[in-house]
């Protein structure tokens, strides 16, 4: 049953990977979209494709979620009521240990994955509260359930997303607003290229010898979570590829 038709969703980080695929699957369900990310041209291209293919409304807003003022201006500019906020924008930078990682990488991850997600939640949740309806879906990670060497700050940010999701649910206790999290393992997107500063070979090695998840696998879960009956609040879903059993247990064919 499609309960999503005619709803309006904001997706952060819709220029690639999980966010872009979620936009497509929502559009196929008749959801009107507000797509965000920093790469303006990509956003415009994606919007025009989705409008043409699915006949839904698609607006775009290019801004950096780390910029609190830009987040505020974005929310003030909204003309439609927001039914769904998918807090997906995020990234990892590097795999260096605590004793040699760069402060810059830490700032980027904390400012994007934690503060950016918080800014949007802080700004959109009052609008949902006023209407007593809405759904905030945060993209966490298996790294929010388990820490690993080389992920001191990335795993910390995703543990924070888990805490934020749970506290947000509790802050909105007694309202009809739903709060969920989706926690993927290894998904082949631009994620590893970003993590390794554009080093394609290093990025490809992450998925070598296994069949990783793809963006579609996670987008389908996000749509499923959003499409439950109004009284059903899925708190979290953990999704691994079958060849992964933990952050470090990854079975690879030689
Ligand atoms: P991608 O790199 O393909 O997509 C990341 C998206 O986030 C892009 O659209 C990017 O847009 C956006 N983004 C990054 N930084 C900012 C910023 N400062 N302001 C606005 N937008 C930003 O990776 P994924 O699709 O894999 O990642 C999506 C989410 O999924 C992230 O939160 C990631 O942590 C999480 N995740 C990914 C996993 C994986 O293995 N791939 C596993 C578990 C979780 P732009 O560059 O245009 O700004
Ligand atoms: C991304 C998955 O294992 O690279 O969140 O941390 S992992």
């Amino acid at each position: 049953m499609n309960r999503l038709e005619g709803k309006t969703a904001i997706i952060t980080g819709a220029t690639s990977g999980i966010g872009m695929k979620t936009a497509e699957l929502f559009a196929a369900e008749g959801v009107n979209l507000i797509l965000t990310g920093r790469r303006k041209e990509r956003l415009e291209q994606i919007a025009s494709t989705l409008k043409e293919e699915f006949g839904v409304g698609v607006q775009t807003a290019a801004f950096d979620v780390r910029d609190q003022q830009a987040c505020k201006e974005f929310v003030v500019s909204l003309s439609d009521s927001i039914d769904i906020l998918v807090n997906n924008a995020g990234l990892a930078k590097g795999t260096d240990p605590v004793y040699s990682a760069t402060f810059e990488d830490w700032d980027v991850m904390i400012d994007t994955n934690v503060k950016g997600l918080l800014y949007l939640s802080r700004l959109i949740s009052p609008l949902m509260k006023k209407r007593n309806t809405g759904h905030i879906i945060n993209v966490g990670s298996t790294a929010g359930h388990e820490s690993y060497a080389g992920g001191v700050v990335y795993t910390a940010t995703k543990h924070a997303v888990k805490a934020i999701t749970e506290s947000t649910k509790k802050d909105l206790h007694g309202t009809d607003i739903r709060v969920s999290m989706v926690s993927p393992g290894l998904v082949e997107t631009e994620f590893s290229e970003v993590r390794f500063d554009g080093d394609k070979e290093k990025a490809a090695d992450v998925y070598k010898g296994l069949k990783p998840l793809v963006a579609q696998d996670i987008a389908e879960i996000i749509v499923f979570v959003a499409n439950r009956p109004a009284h059903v609040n899925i708190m979290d879903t953990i999704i691994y590829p079958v060849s992964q059993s933990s952050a470090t247990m990854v079975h690879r064919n030689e």
Side-chain angles (χ1 to χ4, degrees):
M1 185 179 178
N2 180 5
R3 302 180 182 88
L4 296 172
E5 194 168 359
K7 296 210 163 160
T8 298
I10 294 174
I11 304 174
T12 68
T15 55
S16 89
I18 295 168
M20 186 170 77
K21 199 39 102 169
T22 302
E24 184 187 321
L25 299 198
F26 269 156
E29 299 296 329
V31 176
N32 298 309
L33 297 166
I34 302 167
L35 305 181
T36 84
R38 289 164 300 177
R39 287 169 286 182
K40 192 168 189 282
E41 259 180 46
R42 275 212 198 185
L43 281 174
E44 283 166 3
Q45 199 181 359
I46 293 162
S48 105
T49 306
L50 295 181
K51 271 192 248 182
E52 197 175 316
E53 196 168 333
F54 300 104
V56 291
V58 188
Q59 298 168 49
T60 62
F63 65 94
D64 190 323
V65 295
R66 290 173 293 175
D67 181 342
Q68 191 186 122
Q69 189 55 32
C71 291
K72 286 179 176 162
E73 283 165 17
F74 163 65
V75 173
V76 165
S77 78
L78 295 171
S79 50
D80 298 331
S81 299
I82 305 305
D83 300 299
I84 302 164
L85 167 64
V86 182
N87 270 319
N88 165 75
L91 78 177
K93 277 292 190 190
T95 51
D96 301 304
V98 68
Y99 47 81
S100 62
T102 71
F103 293 105
E104 289 77 12
D105 283 350
W106 287 354
D107 286 344
V108 170
M109 288 186 274
I110 292 167
D111 291 350
T112 309
N113 302 357
V114 181
K115 291 171 76 179
L117 181 145
L118 280 170
Y119 294 157
L120 268 303
S121 298
R122 169 64 184 85
L123 293 163
I124 298 294
S125 58
L127 309 179
M128 291 180 169
K129 202 159 177 288
K130 208 178 252 178
R131 295 169 59 230
N132 193 31
T133 184
H135 197 163
I136 299 173
I137 303 175
N138 295 328
V139 178
S141 170
T142 48
H145 294 268
E146 179 195 6
S147 52
Y148 55 82
V152 64
V153 166
Y154 181 68
T155 64
T157 65
K158 291 300 182 177
H159 277 71
V161 172
K162 180 173 182 289
I164 292 163
T165 305
E166 291 168 3
S167 291
T168 303
K169 174 77 179 82
K170 288 169 183 165
D171 283 344
L172 292 166
H173 182 69
T175 74
D176 289 344
I177 301 162
R178 295 185 287 173
V179 185
S180 304
M181 178 165 78
V182 171
S183 300
L186 290 168
V187 192
E188 191 164 12
T189 60
E190 292 178 15
F191 179 84
S192 291
E193 266 186 67
V194 171
R195 184 171 214 166
F196 297 118
D197 285 330
D199 185 332
K200 287 187 196 299
E201 214 171 299
K202 244 177 154 178
D205 279 349
V206 175
Y207 313 107
K208 208 169 171 182
L210 75 139
K211 190 172 166 51
L213 299 168
V214 292
Q216 170 101 15
D217 299 321
I218 306 308
E220 285 176 3
I221 307 280
I222 293 172
V223 172
F224 178 84
V225 166
N227 195 30
R228 292 311 84 215
H231 68 285
V232 178
N233 189 113
I234 295 179
M235 278 308 299
D236 195 3
T237 57
I238 298 178
I239 312 107
Y240 282 121
V242 70
S243 47
Q244 181 179 19
S245 301
S246 77
T248 50
M249 285 181 76
V250 180
H251 178 75
R252 297 176 197 272
N253 297 311
E254 294 312 314

